[in-house]
């Protein structure tokens, strides 16, 4: 007797979506089932390296398509790894795959928005459940390699499935689809051939079509049956690359770019890397899997082989097939293998080349790539990748010119006569940075400023002291040079020295008073050259950290650098002149202290930082306004 089981709620939801939304894209069912069969063959081939008894050598690995027009069924069979009873339940009765969960979410959004969702749908892959696009009921008979018992899983795709023991003469899986009345076209051999050519020709396993000719079954291999990456690039169509990418990555969108390479010499290997369009949901989660799939002499060895790609390229998908590694290669062996180091270098090289050609060929597509993955690529700078020079050329930033994003090379080509540095401002948004007091004198000279708004930027830029011989300089750095040359900066200093000494004394009074009021908050107070309209600003001591980064670290409790910042005053500003007068007139201690504190808080607000004590700030401001209003009235 068969046991009945209910589907997990999410499975029912997927089935409902599949049947209601994908029905015009029923073709995809074959791609999904053949792709699963191929994975099952790969897994068996790999496990049988360790346990040869899992596989009988006279039974070549293959996938068979068996249409039976009399019964109205199509069977997709493989002699791969198979599934145990528990695995049938797990894999076909619940949603184990995060990609499918994501799909459900996307579909719900698309339906809610009534958007061009239906157009998108054709691109989604929903795995095994796509069987129900063409079948009224589905029967799966499977036997795990190495086991002697088989099980049958049956479902009509409504709300549950049944399980019972079954008979089968070999390990592997047979999926029999009882075709819907209006889907019988898929039983026609020419239709199956066309679909295999369209969707599954990248596979390295033979796909046999078993056709009834004059009552006797005739089988014929209908695909190329050679691993796609082993073919010559000139023999592979874009469509085949696309289908292979989807198979490899479980992505439903096509890749932005790919690079196919073969290395022949003292070492031999083939590789194929892809640049996805879409970020995986766990891109910034410390544990996110990365690396490319490793094959040895065509045999699948492992997914996500970390040794073949650095973390800063964790968005790259691909496959490598080595002729030199042993088939039973272990993780430990990979870690200090010279062969692996050589391969890794090439995978990195071709991954970067892929981005370089995308940047060159299609600026819009590159911008999309950059928005999605730029922050990850920048980690390569922070971790001192050997390829830092190539990464630097791939960087893009918004700038004070406000016209899209720019490369460093383009920035340099626009540098003004006499401008020696590449200026950048780091903060939380371009809007906030555009109004930053730190930019005033720079903007006056019409110099462009890069806006670095990614939290990783201040760390990455520390490893990028210069580009094309031009130093990268933060507009917040303490020794900001603005002059057309160092000599000019010195001239500025000399001019200051010539100013009459009375005024110097007055400045001194102001500086030392501000310093004593704010001694808890700032390390130094000095006269600024970078300000025009604003009365004061805070700058970074050497090696200091931008305030928004400091906040971020504090929020994540990653420990705080203790460095206080430097306060710069605009001595030409009216408010500074008034303060000086108040000090000379020896006005009330409290008023001056309060004014200085309010000005300090105002500098924080202007740079986009929160004030330390908002209640106190509001009270002090209210008092000041009250005083000013009173004075204005008294003056009338
Ligand atoms: P995915 O292939 O993305 O994991 P599917 O819905 O296509 O998702 O398949 C779910 C799981 O069912 C697979 O991961 C695999 O473990 C199992 N499975 C499906 N078809 C087969 C098969 N022919 N042989 C062995 N296992 C299979
Ligand atoms: Mg699948």
């Amino acid at each position: 007797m068969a046991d009945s089981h209910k589907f997990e709620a999410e499975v029912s939801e997927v089935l409902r979506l599949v049947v209601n939304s994908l029905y015009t894209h029923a073709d995809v069912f074959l791609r999904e089932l053949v792709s699963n069969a191929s994975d099952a063959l790969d897994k068996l081939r790999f496990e049988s390296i360790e346990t040869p008894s899992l596989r009988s050598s006279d039974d070549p690995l293959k996938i068979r398509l068996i249409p039976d027009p009399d019964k109205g069924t199509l069977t997709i069979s493989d002699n791969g790894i198979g599934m145990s009873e528990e695995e049938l339940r797990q894999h076909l009765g619940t949603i184990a795959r995060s990609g499918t969960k994501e799909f459900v979410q996307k579909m719900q959004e698309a339906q809610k928005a009534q958007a061009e969702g239906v157009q998108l749908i054709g691109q989604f892959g929903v795995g095994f459940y796509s069987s129900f696009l063409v079948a009224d009921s589905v029967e799966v008979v499977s036997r795990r390699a190495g086991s002697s018992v088989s099980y049958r899983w049956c479902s009509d795709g409504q709300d549950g499935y049944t399980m019972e023991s079954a008979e089968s003469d070999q390990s592997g899986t047979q999926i029999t689809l009882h075709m819907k009345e209006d889907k019988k076209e898929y039983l026609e051999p020419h239709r199956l051939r066309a679909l295999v050519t369209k969707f599954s020709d990248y596979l390295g396993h033979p796909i046999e079509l078993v056709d009834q000719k004059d009552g006797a079954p005739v089988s014929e291999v209908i695909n190329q049956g050679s691993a796609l990456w082993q073919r010559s690039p000139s023999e592979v169509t874009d469509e085949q690359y696309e289908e292979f990418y989807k198979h490899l990555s479980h992505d439903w969108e096509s890749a932005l770019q790919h690079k196919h390479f073969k290395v022949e010499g003292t070492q031999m290997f083939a590789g194929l890397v892809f640049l996805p369009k879409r970020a995986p949901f766990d891109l910034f989660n410390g544990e996110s899997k990365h690396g490319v799939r490793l094959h040895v002499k065509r045999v699948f060895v492992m997914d996500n082989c970390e040794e073949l790609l650095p973390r800063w390229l964790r968005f790259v998908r691909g496959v490598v097939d080595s002729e030199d590694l042993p088939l039973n290669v272990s993780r430990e062996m990979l870690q200090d293998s010279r062969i692996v180091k050589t391969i890794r270098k090439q995978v990195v090289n071709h991954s970067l080349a892929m981005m370089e050609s995308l940047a060159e060929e299609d600026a819009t597509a590159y911008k999309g790539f950059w928005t999605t993955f730029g922050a990850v690529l920048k980690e390569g700078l922070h971790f001192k990748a050997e390829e830092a020079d190539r990464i630097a050329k791939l960087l893009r930033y918004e700038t004070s010119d406000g016209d899209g994003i720019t490369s460093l090379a383009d920035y340099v080509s626009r540098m003004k006569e006499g401008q020696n540095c590449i200026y950048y401002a780091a903060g939380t948004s371009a809007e906030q940075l555009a109004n930053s007091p730190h930019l005033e004198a720079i903007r006056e000279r019409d110099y462009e400023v890069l806006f670095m708004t990614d939290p990783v930027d201040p760390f990455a830029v520390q490893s990028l002291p210069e580009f094309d011989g031009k130093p990268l300089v933060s507009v917040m750095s303490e020794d900001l040079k603005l002059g057309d040359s160092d000599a000019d900066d010195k001239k500025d200093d000399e001019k200051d020295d010539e100013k009459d000494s009375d005024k110097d004394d007055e400045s001194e009074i102001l500086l030392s008073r501000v310093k004593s009021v704010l001694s808890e908050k700032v390390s130094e107070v000095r006269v600024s050259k970078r300000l025009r309209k604003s009365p004061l600003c805070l700058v970074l001591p050497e090696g200091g950290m931008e305030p928004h980064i400091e906040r971020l670290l504090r929020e994540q409790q990653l420990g705080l650098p203790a460095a206080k910042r430097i306060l710069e005053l605009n001595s030409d500003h009216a408010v500074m002149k008034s303060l000086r007068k108040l000090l000379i007139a020896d006005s009330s201690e409290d008023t001056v202290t309060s004014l200085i504190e309010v000005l300090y808080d105002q500098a924080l607000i202007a740079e986009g930082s929160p004030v330390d004590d908002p209640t106190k700030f509001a009270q002090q401001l209210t008092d000041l306004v009250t005083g000013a209003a009173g004075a204005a009235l008294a003056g009338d």
Side-chain angles (χ1 to χ4, degrees):
M1 248 315 280
D3 298 332
S4 300
H5 304 269
K6 276 212 159 331
F7 281 132
E8 194 186 43
E10 277 168 321
V11 174
S12 304
E13 177 76 346
V14 169
L15 284 166
R16 194 182 60 75
L17 285 169
V18 166
V19 176
N20 291 336
S21 327
L22 279 171
Y23 61 95
T24 50
H25 303 275
D27 283 0
V28 299
F29 88 94
L30 194 68
R31 154 174 95 193
E32 296 298 334
L33 296 184
V34 168
S35 163
N36 286 350
S38 168
D39 288 345
L41 297 178
D42 280 344
K43 280 181 205 154
L44 176 62
R45 195 157 59 175
F46 180 61
E47 287 192 16
S48 62
I49 296 170
E50 190 118 295
T51 319
S53 62
L54 287 181
R55 204 181 139 186
S56 60
S57 54
D58 53 353
D59 187 16
L61 297 176
K62 65 182 168 204
I63 299 164
R64 285 153 46 102
L65 307 181
I66 312 159
D68 186 334
D70 295 338
K71 293 200 189 117
T73 59
L74 173 65
T75 301
I76 293 103
S77 112
D78 68 72
N79 52 350
I81 194 72
M83 284 174 274
S84 65
E85 185 183 9
E86 180 55 26
E87 284 167 331
L88 278 167
R89 264 183 234 292
Q90 269 293 319
H91 298 318
L92 309 185
T94 64
I95 294 189
R97 219 181 113 185
S98 44
T100 309
K101 288 191 178 158
E102 239 186 306
F103 163 77
V104 176
Q105 223 175 13
K106 279 266 155 28
M107 278 303 304
Q108 286 165 338
E109 282 163 21
Q111 288 195 333
K112 254 181 233 146
Q114 291 276 313
E116 66 287 8
V118 181
Q119 287 305 310
L120 277 173
I121 293 164
Q123 302 164 24
F124 290 112
V126 286
F128 171 77
Y129 300 112
S130 57
S131 317
F132 292 100
L133 289 171
V134 296
D136 286 322
S137 68
V138 176
E139 205 182 307
V140 181
V141 175
S142 197
R143 188 167 109 197
R144 180 84 164 107
S147 156
S148 57
V149 286
S150 310
Y151 292 90
R152 175 182 288 106
W153 178 103
C154 289
S155 174
D156 58 4
Q158 297 300 314
D159 49 17
Y161 60 93
T162 61
M163 283 279 275
E164 62 188 332
S165 357
E167 293 290 318
S168 76
D169 48 11
Q170 59 169 8
S171 64
T173 305
Q174 295 94 50
I175 299 180
T176 301
L177 309 174
H178 294 265
M179 302 305 272
K180 294 183 180 179
E181 208 42 59
D182 61 343
K183 300 291 185 219
K184 295 264 162 80
E185 59 185 278
Y186 292 109
L187 299 176
E188 287 166 25
H190 73 91
R191 191 84 167 89
L192 293 169
R193 256 176 232 276
L195 287 182
V196 165
T197 309
K198 179 173 174 201
F199 285 136
S200 308
D201 216 16
Y202 54 81
L203 289 175
H205 299 289
I207 303 175
E208 270 181 21
L209 177 63
V210 183
D211 196 3
Q212 298 287 329
K213 280 219 172 86
D214 311 321
V218 183
S219 18
E220 184 197 347
V221 176
I222 56 168
N223 67 334
Q224 298 198 31
S226 66
L228 180 117
W229 58 86
Q230 292 292 356
R231 300 178 203 165
S232 147
S234 61
E235 287 165 15
V236 184
T237 65
D238 285 349
E239 216 167 35
Q240 286 170 330
Y241 281 123
E242 184 175 328
E243 289 304 328
F244 175 66
Y245 167 72
K246 289 179 178 168
H247 166 75
L248 182 76
S249 64
H250 292 301
D251 197 349
W252 58 75
E253 280 194 79
S254 38
L256 279 173
Q257 189 90 340
H258 67 261
K259 201 103 195 170
H260 186 174
F261 54 96
K262 261 189 164 164
V263 176
E264 274 157 5
T266 45
Q267 254 202 61
M268 309 232 291
F269 55 91
L272 176 52
V273 284
F274 293 91
L275 208 54
K277 203 176 274 173
R278 217 169 49 88
F281 65 99
D282 62 354
L283 187 64
F284 290 102
N285 152 348
E287 259 96 78
S288 71
K289 294 209 180 90
H290 79 280
V292 296
R293 177 181 285 193
L294 176 64
H295 289 245
V296 172
K297 300 186 188 73
R298 251 72 61 223
V299 178
F300 166 79
V301 173
M302 70 179 78
D303 263 321
N304 310 309
C305 181
E306 291 177 12
E307 288 75 14
L308 292 177
L309 268 182
R311 273 196 69 75
W312 53 272
L313 286 176
R314 62 182 174 272
F315 47 85
V316 171
R317 296 286 171 267
V319 56
V320 162
D321 190 349
S322 161
E323 302 295 320
D324 307 290
L325 287 167
L327 270 169
N328 60 350
V329 65
S330 65
R331 287 258 166 206
E332 295 72 53
M333 259 163 90
L334 288 173
Q335 274 157 21
D336 40 39
S337 150
R338 267 194 313 120
I339 299 174
V340 170
K341 289 208 175 74
T342 313
I343 300 178
R344 174 184 164 117
K345 235 187 145 105
Q346 286 300 321
V347 179
V348 171
N349 168 31
H350 287 286
S351 298
L352 288 169
M354 178 163 66
M355 295 166 214
E356 286 158 0
S357 46
L358 184 67
E360 197 160 297
E361 288 160 18
D362 187 343
T364 316
Y366 187 76
K367 186 176 175 188
F369 157 76
W370 181 252
T371 313
T372 313
F373 298 114
V376 178
L377 192 62
K378 285 181 228 174
E379 291 175 17
L381 290 178
H382 181 56
F383 292 108
K384 309 261 185 295
E386 259 175 65
E387 298 78 8
D389 286 351
R390 288 174 75 184
I391 300 176
K393 292 195 181 107
L394 291 165
L395 298 171
R396 298 291 183 274
Y397 298 102
E398 290 181 87
T399 83
S400 54
D401 284 4
D403 202 20
I405 54 175
T406 188
S407 68
L408 293 177
D410 286 345
Y411 175 101
V412 169
S413 75
R414 288 191 297 267
M415 278 170 63
K416 296 289 171 316
E417 175 86 33
Q419 179 186 349
N420 296 321
C421 310
I422 298 172
Y423 294 104
Y424 70 87
T428 47
S429 75
E431 294 74 36
Q432 174 241 316
L433 290 171
N435 298 315
S436 159
H438 301 92
L439 264 55
E440 289 172 359
I442 299 175
R443 300 286 294 269
E444 189 183 74
R445 288 171 192 243
D446 217 17
Y447 293 169
E448 189 174 3
V449 179
L450 300 174
F451 289 162
M452 300 198 175
T453 50
D454 207 311
V456 73
D457 281 329
F459 301 100
V461 80
Q462 276 170 16
S463 308
L464 188 72
E466 56 161 60
F467 181 84
D468 198 9
K470 314 280 188 293
L472 272 84
V473 173
S474 165
V475 300
M476 274 199 186
S477 67
E478 62 156 352
D479 64 340
L480 182 68
K481 298 265 192 301
L482 278 183
D484 295 340
S485 67
D486 284 358
D488 280 1
D489 279 316
K490 266 200 207 91
K491 246 187 274 159
D492 276 356
D493 288 342
E494 280 158 19
K495 243 196 301 178
D496 285 348
D497 290 345
E498 283 162 16
K499 282 180 186 165
D500 57 333
S501 55
D502 274 4
K503 194 155 168 228
D504 262 8
D505 288 348
E506 290 173 21
S507 284
E508 218 25 72
I509 297 174
L510 178 63
L511 291 176
S512 68
R513 184 57 173 278
V514 172
K515 171 131 209 219
S516 79
V517 173
L518 298 175
S519 63
E520 295 284 292
K521 305 187 185 233
V522 302
S523 65
E524 193 189 326
V525 182
R526 66 190 193 192
V527 174
S528 183
K529 281 186 217 149
R530 75 190 90 202
L531 295 173
R532 291 297 177 267
K533 294 185 305 241
S534 301
L536 74 176
C537 70
L538 285 152
V539 306
L540 299 178
E542 207 188 323
M545 201 163 274
E546 280 79 1
H548 70 295
I549 297 297
E550 224 179 82
R551 280 202 300 285
L552 200 85
L553 295 181
R554 202 181 299 140
E555 278 159 20
Q556 301 181 349
Q557 291 170 332
L558 290 176
L560 247 198
K564 290 178 188 167
R565 288 196 283 160
I566 299 168
L567 184 66
E568 289 194 352
L569 306 182
N570 178 357
S571 57
D572 295 332
H573 197 281
V575 80
M576 292 302 160
K577 291 181 180 159
S578 310
L579 257 184
R580 260 198 314 258
K581 282 190 196 137
L582 279 175
L583 281 172
I584 292 161
D586 214 8
S587 123
S588 132
E589 190 81 0
D590 286 355
T591 314
V592 174
T593 301
S594 180
L595 276 171
I596 292 171
E597 285 175 348
V598 168
L599 281 170
Y600 172 79
D601 282 349
Q602 178 271 334
L604 288 175
I605 291 169
E607 69 171 24
S609 295
V611 300
D612 300 337
D613 185 346
T615 317
K616 181 176 174 195
F617 173 68
Q619 189 56 54
Q620 284 176 322
L621 195 61
T622 309
D623 292 348
L624 281 173
V625 173
T626 312
L633 280 175
D636 278 349

